[in-house]
Structure formats: C-alpha cells, structure tokens
Amino acid sequence: MHWVFWAVVLDACLALGALFSRKAGYYRRLVHFALCAVVASTAGIVSAPVMWASRRKASVNWVVARTFYYTTRVVLGIRIEIEGEDIMQGARPCVLVGNHQTMLDLIMLGRVFPMQTVILAKRAISYYPFVGWFMRLADDIFISRGSKQSASDMFKRASEELRAKQVSVWFFAEGTRGRFSDGPGLLPFKVGAFLLAYHARVPIVPVVTMDFHNLYDKRRFWSTSGTLKVKILQPILLDGLTEDDLKPLMNRTRDTMLAELYRISPPRIAH
C-alpha cells in the first residue's frame, strides 16, 4: 500500500502549491482525474465475469462509464445535463457520433454512454494498463490507423455485432480532438461512422457536447468544476441511400451538429 501513501503525499503537495500556482491546481485535478479512471477501470474488470455470464459483455463499458462519471462528479465537481436522452434510448442499436474536444470527453461519455455499446479505439490503447484491460474484456474494437485491411475488418466485425448482438457503437466523428482558439468548432468528419451505419443498416444518432473552454483549457492550465450540456439529436436514417450518398450526408450532419454546438455553448470567458 506504499502507493497510497505516496499518492496522499503528492496530493498534499499539489494542494499546497495550488494556493500559490494555477499550474499546481491544474495538475492536482489531473491526478484526481487519473485516479478516478483507475477506479472505474477496476470496477469494469471486477464486473466482467458477471456481464459475461449474463451475455451482456459490452455492458462492461457501461459499468466503467457510470463509475467514472459519479466518481468525477464528486471529486472534480463536473455535472452533465442531457437533453434528448430518450431519443438515444429509442434508436438502439445505432451508431452514436459525437464531437471530440479534450480528455473531459470521458466524463461526458461516463454519463451518456448507454448499455450494450462498444467503443472503437486505436489498437495502442488496448495495451494501456487498466483502460486497455477492461476494453478487451468488453470486446471493444481496436483498429490500426492507416491500415485499409484493419478498417475493412473493423466495419465487418462492428456491423455483424450491431445486427447479431443488438449493440451500438460510439464514434468520435472527427477522428481526433479539435482545438479552436476563437470559439467552438468541428474538424472535418471522417466517413467511417457513416460507412459502418450503412453496412449495418442502423441509424446514426448525433451527440453534441458544448464547448469545454470555460471548464478546461490545457494551454492555460485551467480546470474547474461546473456543468456540461449535451444535446442528443434526432436519429438519421440511411434507408434508400447508396454508398455515394454518404459523404454528402456526412457533411450535412456536421453542419447540423456545428449549429447545435454554437447554440448550447456559453460565451467564452477569459481565464
């Protein structure tokens, strides 16, 4: 248990430093965030045998998500308000498409993530301690960036899971985190989520999270408590579409999500 002692010592040092330095306070909250992630991942690992026995393997992700949200809600003071949650529940199985901003997206996922939903992630994450362990137990899908064969296998496997196991899939449509200094924004979308929904014959459900700037700004070592608003938009049906229709649909979806992002995001404040 020596690590507990040193964790307490580190936290005490950072708490003292936070009285004089914003940077120390930022890193203290970062350590708390990481510890919450370890607790949540451990909960997922412990729950895995029960989920496997009940044939709800993908719900390991849900256990991790909710554990992480409620621990960070207490420790970091960040709450999530969701508008349209019933829309998401009624559309499953589906492909959930969200905007990607910062590591705090994990807190949003902790509250939003539905049961029987899998994650698509970089293969390197599967080797991370705790996080990679529970994701493997949840049968999440790992891909190698730049590998066409891997992408093809991913879409085939995910579409089979959506149809056969009645599970949904979460995508960050931009493919990477978008950082915008002059206000909220979205990077160009990747077509993968739309290809997956097309092949699996399931709807796309856009999920928009407000601009994080007032709660978190890595460049200025700013992190504070508060409320994040999330809006779930109406499902997009792909019935009757061809593969050639997917890119125009992707661009229209991005425009709709960007308009909603502007609507739910508060004016930025100076840190």
Side-chain angles (χ1 to χ4, degrees), residues 101-102 104-105 108 209-216 228:
Q101 300 179 68
T102 74
L104 295 190
D105 287 324
M108 176 276 296
T209 305
M210 72 175 231
D211 183 26
F212 278 99
H213 177 83
N214 292 350
L215 298 185
Y216 180 84
L228 283 172

Side-chain angles (χ1 to χ4, degrees), residues 38-50:
V38 171
V39 170
S41 299
T42 303
I45 294 168
V46 171
S47 71
V50 175

Side-chain angles (χ1 to χ4, degrees), residues 154-173:
M154 173 193 69
F155 293 131
K156 181 178 179 181
R157 178 186 174 193
S159 64
E160 290 172 353
E161 289 193 15
L162 262 69
R163 292 195 299 264
K165 299 182 180 180
Q166 295 293 290
V167 298
S168 299
V169 176
W170 180 278
F171 259 93
F172 285 117

Side-chain angles (χ1 to χ4, degrees), residues 10 67 76 90 105 116 125 140 166 177 182 187 189 267 271:
L10 175 61
T67 303
L76 299 179
D105 287 324
Q116 286 301 95
I125 295 177
D140 288 329
Q166 295 293 290
R177 284 176 288 186
D182 56 350
L187 295 172
F189 280 7
H271 297 152

Side-chain angles (χ1 to χ4, degrees), residues 240-252:
L241 297 184
T242 67
E243 195 165 328
D244 292 336
D245 298 322
L246 296 182
K247 285 193 176 180
L249 175 65
M250 175 187 72
N251 292 329
R252 291 196 301 272

